[in-house]
Amino acid sequence: MDIIKAYYTMFGRAPEKEGFDYWKSEAAQHGWSLSDLVNTFLQLPVVQEAGYPLTQSADGYVTNLYATLFGKTPDDNGYWAGQLNNGVSKGDLLSTMVQAALGTPDGTLGKDNIINKLAFSQYVVSIQQTNNISLDPSLLKEWTESVNDLTESVATAIKGIYDKSGATLNLFPNGTIPSGSSDMQLSAAILSELNIFKTDLYEIILGSGSQDGNTGGSSGSSELLASDMEELTSLVTMNTNGGILSTESLREATLKDLANDAYYYELFNPSNYWGHEDGIFAAEEIGAPSANIQNFVATTENLESIYYGTAIKALKAIDMDEAMQIGNFIQANAAALEAGNQTVLDQYIALMVSVFRDPAAVPLFTDQQIADSTAMGTAMAAQLVGSGDTPALFDGMLMAFM
């Protein structure tokens, strides 16, 4: 989010993908805060030409920030300019101003303007990441400037992007599904999607989150990778299987077992999981830095793929001898496992880790059995979501045979 805020305040627009990716890498490498990013941006000729020359007075800098952030002239009786004149850096001042503005009561003049423009910018970043495109900066500036304190203005701007693309973009990184193709239905779906970004925005900025994509402050409440999967990151993979093990077939089979399809899509809603804010799940964010997958776009489709791919790979790792080892262990330690004896649970997890670590020479389960088991397990996980609980995506995989 810091990169989005820096781009918006310095350029007056949402970031294009190439620039966002570059500055995200730089910020991560140097550990930059929003203040650091702004102070770095101010040294760039393109930013100086955009209205922030190095020789700009304190009053001029504050006036520009007010116009960009809040869509109004300064009404602070010279307070912020005084801070600059007393030695506060321009980056620190901007960071403090944004935080102060977002902390004002709802309805305060200027607050909705910045909320909507930052939510729009975050939405646009996710669209670009989802579609793997970099939108034209001049158009991004035009669309960003069109956003005001009305939520409908954001939907109109997003619709403008869609129309400009020839109606070819996926506008719904969080998996919102339009109920139809009319302009009204499309706008309603955009507004629904936008609510996710606006909720994220409040929680990221007013909560403990700071840097784009970093853990420790993400708005998602659950880990993507359960803690009991940490030793099995080699299993984590996208689903490349076809036939009854394809993602499409497994989705269809799972939905047949659910009374409410919405539970399924909520299970695979990226906004439920840590690290989704910048539109990318990185290995560090999913708790699997040694996994086969280093990063992937935070979409419903990709979450489905990584979930099914990993589950299938795990089930194909089990052979007859290993299944007997698991059965014998459970039978011999049934009482201790039922009582939650930590020593025995650790032994069981260690056994499962050894089973899953290598592929089976002759898999115990047929593709049909794997499909049936995976669909049933997914339906159970989705049902948990429907009851108000969003577990880690692979929660309980090691315990599935108990």
Side-chain angles (χ1 to χ4, degrees):
M1 179 56 70
D2 284 349
I3 295 167
I4 290 172
K5 286 186 283 186
Y7 252 86
Y8 170 57
T9 51
M10 295 292 97
F11 295 109
R13 62 174 175 83
E16 77 286 359
K17 182 179 183 298
E18 291 176 356
F20 178 87
D21 290 346
Y22 172 78
W23 288 109
K24 179 181 178 182
S25 175
E26 288 291 297
Q29 180 180 345
H30 299 290
W32 286 342
S33 64
L34 172 59
S35 176
D36 297 324
L37 279 164
V38 170
N39 288 329
T40 300
F41 275 30
L42 287 169
Q43 304 304 311
L44 302 175
V46 65
V47 172
Q48 295 165 20
E49 294 168 4
Y52 294 96
L54 291 177
T55 57
Q56 188 172 46
S57 68
D59 286 332
Y61 181 71
V62 171
T63 297
N64 277 3
L65 289 185
Y66 259 83
T68 300
L69 290 173
F70 314 121
K72 62 179 182 178
T73 57
D75 56 2
D76 64 327
N77 296 318
Y79 173 80
W80 294 116
Q83 294 291 305
L84 281 180
N85 290 329
N86 287 332
V88 173
S89 75
K90 290 181 176 179
D92 283 343
L93 184 83
L94 183 149
S95 181
T96 303
M97 284 179 68
V98 172
Q99 195 73 17
L102 292 169
T104 59
D106 290 345
T108 300
L109 183 63
K111 180 174 181 178
D112 287 340
N113 183 71
I114 185 173
I115 284 288
N116 285 341
K117 286 187 174 177
L118 290 178
F120 167 78
S121 297
Q122 188 180 356
Y123 196 158
V124 168
V125 166
S126 291
I127 288 173
Q128 292 178 93
Q129 298 287 5
T130 299
N131 293 275
N132 194 29
I133 62 168
S134 196
L135 295 172
D136 182 80
S138 62
L139 291 174
L140 286 172
K141 186 170 179 63
E142 176 186 333
W143 287 318
T144 306
E145 288 177 345
S146 72
V147 174
N148 54 42
D149 59 347
L150 299 176
T151 301
E152 291 76 10
S153 69
V154 185
T156 300
I158 296 294
K159 180 70 164 47
I161 294 175
Y162 184 71
D163 292 340
K164 191 72 176 180
S165 73
T168 59
L169 293 179
N170 175 5
L171 297 185
F172 306 105
N174 288 307
T176 303
I177 303 174
S179 59
S181 58
S182 71
D183 284 352
M184 184 177 296
Q185 291 165 325
L186 184 62
S187 295
I190 290 172
L191 287 172
S192 177
E193 185 88 355
L194 176 64
N195 283 334
I196 297 172
F197 288 103
K198 293 185 78 169
T199 299
D200 292 348
L201 188 60
Y202 277 108
E203 293 181 356
I204 296 165
I205 299 177
L206 301 180
S208 58
S210 59
Q211 193 55 267
D212 302 73
N214 286 358
T215 56
S218 167
S219 61
S221 60
S222 300
E223 297 174 290
L224 193 60
L225 195 69
S227 58
D228 63 6
M229 285 286 292
E230 289 175 354
E231 294 185 67
L232 292 170
T233 56
S234 60
L235 285 176
V236 180
T237 186
M238 291 292 187
N239 187 17
T240 59
N241 293 282
I244 59 174
L245 294 183
S246 69
T247 296
E248 294 75 16
S249 294
L250 291 170
R251 180 195 305 128
E252 181 179 357
T254 301
L255 290 173
K256 288 180 180 178
D257 290 335
L258 282 172
N260 191 333
D261 290 359
Y263 296 165
Y264 177 93
Y265 291 105
E266 189 63 18
L267 173 66
F268 295 110
N269 184 342
S271 65
N272 286 329
Y273 303 100
W274 295 344
H276 75 279
E277 292 83 6
D278 62 348
I280 295 289
F281 283 122
E284 294 79 13
E285 291 166 345
I286 67 173
S290 62
N292 301 324
I293 300 172
Q294 292 304 304
N295 57 69
F296 61 95
V297 178
T299 64
T300 294
E301 292 78 8
N302 279 343
L303 285 184
E304 287 178 288
S305 181
I306 200 171
Y307 174 87
Y308 290 130
T310 302
I312 292 167
K313 190 173 181 180
L315 289 170
K316 285 190 173 184
I318 303 171
D319 61 28
M320 179 61 76
D321 289 340
E322 291 167 334
M324 291 182 65
Q325 290 178 43
I326 296 169
N328 290 337
F329 183 91
I330 293 174
Q331 184 175 2
N333 297 280
L337 289 169
E338 181 69 18
N341 182 294
Q342 191 58 53
T343 299
V344 176
L345 286 173
D346 289 344
Q347 292 172 352
Y348 174 77
I349 290 174
L351 172 61
M352 296 305 297
V353 166
S354 69
V355 168
F356 283 136
R357 184 168 288 142
D358 301 309
V362 181
L364 173 65
F365 303 111
T366 66
D367 284 0
Q368 186 62 61
Q369 289 172 322
I370 291 174
D372 293 342
S373 176
T374 301
M376 181 174 64
T378 307
M380 291 173 64
Q383 199 65 44
L384 279 177
V385 172
S387 66
D389 181 18
T390 303
L393 198 57
F394 302 105
D395 203 13
M397 183 173 285
L398 291 180
M399 301 299 178
F401 295 88
M402 288 175 55

